[in-house]
């Protein structure tokens, strides 16, 4: 059982498939044991065997489990304690947001001791790629070609007087965020709010962002003073979501 779980956990953006001999070498198995393990996982739907290449990829059972977990609030329950720490420490609203096409989508949010950033729930809200720190902190860590395909193939919506629709200016801001490691915005997406945000990396790949936000009507301490707590929170979330099998399962 432990070896089977180690195989499933070995899949990543870099490792998308296994051959029998590759798996046998990586996990120190003989060929017949590797074949039996892969066949069992395929029979249960956790893997899919390509009939032409005879290589094994993740199967539909993985998707069903992941989808059920997120629909039942598994992601929110996992990250909310981490968000609560930084929300309590800063008094700001903390949110965790995952990539969703040309947006990032809020999957969890915790209000701090000050007034909530918005007067409506944030969970489920979509933030457009070109407007605001929450989305920019993720999209800045994609390649320029990825941003081109996701962002600039259609007109950029205007959300407030501060929303830029100039692709060159937006791209320059993306490069700046990638250089400093975090983003700041004031009124670009919602004219009444300001925010700082940082990317969350899972196994070396940006998957979304964590942000701290506030309503502009209040005279608070400059939200940018909380950059370091925000960056530490991003690291905590990345470590939490990058959970690996214990060392020693693979050679």
């Amino acid at each position: 059982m432990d070896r089977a779980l180690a195989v499933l956990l070995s899949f990543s953006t870099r490792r998308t498939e296994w051959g029998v001999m590759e798996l046998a070498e990586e996990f120190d198995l003989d060929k017949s044991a590797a074949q039996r393990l892969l066949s069992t996982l395929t029979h249960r739907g956790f893997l899919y065997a390509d009939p032409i290449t005879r290589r094994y990829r993740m199967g539909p059972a993985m998707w069903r489990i992941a989808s059920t977990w997120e629909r039942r609030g598994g992601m929110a329950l996992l990250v909310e304690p981490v968000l609560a720490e930084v929300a309590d420490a800063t008094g700001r609203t903390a949110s965790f947001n995952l990539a969703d096409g040309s947006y990032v989508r809020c999957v969890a949010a915790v209000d701090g001791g000050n007034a909530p950033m918005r007067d409506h729930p944030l969970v489920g809200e979509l933030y457009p790629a070109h407007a605001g720190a929450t989305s920019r902190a993720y999209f800045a860590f994609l390649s320029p070609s990825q941003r081109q395909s996701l962002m600039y193939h259609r007109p950029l919506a205007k959300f407030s007087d501060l929303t830029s629709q100039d692709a060159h200016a937006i791209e320059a801001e993306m490069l700046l965020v990638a250089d400093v490691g975090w983003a700041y915005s004031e009124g670009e997406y919602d004219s009444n709010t300001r925010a700082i945000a940082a990317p969350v990396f899972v196994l070396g790949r940006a998957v979304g962002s964590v942000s701290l936000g506030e309503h502009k009507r209040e005279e608070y301490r400059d939200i940018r003073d909380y950059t370091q707590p925000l960056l530490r929170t991003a690291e905590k979330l990345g470590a939490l979501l990058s959970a690996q099998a214990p060392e020693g399962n693979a050679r």
Side-chain angles (χ1 to χ4, degrees):
M1 175 65 75
D2 187 64
R3 187 61 57 82
L5 292 174
V7 170
L8 295 177
L9 286 169
S10 70
F11 284 91
S12 68
T13 54
R14 291 191 178 94
R15 166 60 71 181
T16 60
E17 60 182 24
W18 282 105
V20 174
M21 292 305 298
E22 289 174 336
L23 189 85
E25 182 178 351
E26 181 70 18
F27 288 87
D28 197 20
L29 300 169
D30 60 49
K31 181 180 178 181
S32 61
Q35 182 67 69
R36 287 195 301 271
L37 179 58
L38 290 168
S39 296
T40 298
L41 291 171
T42 300
H43 176 69
R44 295 295 184 181
F46 289 99
L47 298 181
Y48 168 77
D50 189 301
I52 297 175
T53 65
R54 296 185 180 181
R55 296 178 67 80
Y56 294 79
R57 303 192 296 266
M58 288 187 290
M62 301 281 278
W63 172 78
R64 289 198 301 272
I65 292 170
S67 298
T68 300
W69 181 66
E70 185 168 352
R71 285 199 305 269
R72 300 287 293 181
M75 177 68 79
L77 291 173
L78 186 65
V79 303
E80 279 174 357
V82 180
L83 296 179
E85 288 181 12
V86 72
D88 290 344
T90 64
R92 305 313 200 273
T93 296
S95 68
F96 175 60
N97 318 276
L98 285 175
D100 192 342
S102 56
Y103 300 85
V104 294
R105 174 171 50 88
C106 179
V107 297
V110 177
D111 290 327
N114 294 332
M117 182 172 68
R118 301 258 176 81
D119 58 3
H120 62 272
L122 295 179
V123 174
E125 184 156 351
L126 291 169
Y127 297 92
H130 69 287
T134 299
S135 55
R136 190 152 57 239
Y138 163 72
F139 284 96
F141 291 88
L142 302 183
S143 68
S145 62
Q146 287 174 310
R147 285 195 295 273
Q148 178 66 38
S149 64
L150 288 169
M151 295 173 56
Y152 304 127
H153 64 287
R154 59 185 180 183
L156 301 174
K158 188 83 169 175
F159 296 96
S160 77
D161 292 340
L162 297 175
T163 306
S164 177
Q165 295 174 291
D166 183 333
H168 294 292
I170 294 169
E171 190 64 16
E173 184 67 21
M174 293 287 182
L175 296 175
L176 177 61
V177 169
D179 185 52
V180 301
W182 59 279
Y184 169 76
S185 64
E186 183 169 344
E188 294 176 22
Y189 172 62
D190 181 334
S191 60
N192 295 316
T193 64
R194 61 175 69 90
I196 56 173
V200 174
F201 292 93
V202 174
L203 302 178
R205 180 175 68 93
V207 299
S209 69
V210 58
S211 65
L212 291 175
E214 65 184 12
H215 200 286
K216 287 168 58 178
R217 68 172 176 264
E218 302 291 344
E219 291 300 324
Y220 297 141
R221 174 181 170 182
D222 191 329
I223 197 169
R224 286 168 287 192
D225 290 345
Y226 298 113
T227 301
Q228 290 307 311
L230 175 75
L231 292 172
R232 288 194 294 269
T233 300
E235 290 180 1
K236 288 180 183 178
L237 289 169
L240 181 66
L241 298 175
S242 298
Q244 293 287 289
E247 291 184 7
N249 287 337
R251 184 171 58 85

